[in-house]
Amino acid sequence: ESCDLDLLIVKDDNRIPPERAIALRKFLLGMMIPLDLFVFTNKEFDDQGKEKFSMISEIKNSGKILYAR
């Protein structure tokens, strides 16, 4: 069993999802733990959060908010 950090960021950004993650990953360089980074817009987060068995629905129910504005 591997241990890693799953980090979901909600940020309005016009870029396609992989480009969003690449842009934010540069700020996380040097972290010494494996990291899965997911970047969603507010609309994507809200829309997918309505799906009962989606990843975002699970995160809304059991995830931890690390920072909010």
Side-chain angles (χ1 to χ4, degrees):
E1 178 179 322
S2 67
C3 217
D4 68 346
L5 176 65
D6 296 327
L7 185 62
L8 181 135
I9 297 173
V10 180
K11 176 183 184 338
D12 284 323
D13 192 320
N14 294 330
R15 293 176 277 198
I16 61 172
E19 289 177 0
R20 292 181 219 151
I22 290 168
L24 290 173
R25 194 170 282 281
K26 69 181 178 183
F27 295 106
L28 303 171
L29 288 175
M31 289 187 65
M32 302 306 291
I33 59 170
L35 173 71
D36 292 327
L37 179 63
F38 305 94
V39 185
F40 291 90
T41 64
N42 282 300
K43 182 176 181 342
E44 292 167 341
F45 185 78
D46 291 340
D47 290 349
Q48 291 184 33
K50 294 173 186 171
E51 298 174 19
K52 187 174 182 179
F53 298 106
S54 70
M55 175 184 73
I56 291 177
S57 179
E58 182 178 340
I59 290 168
K60 282 183 167 184
N61 290 326
S62 62
K64 305 279 187 269
I65 295 176
L66 301 177
Y67 178 82
R69 254 195 241 189

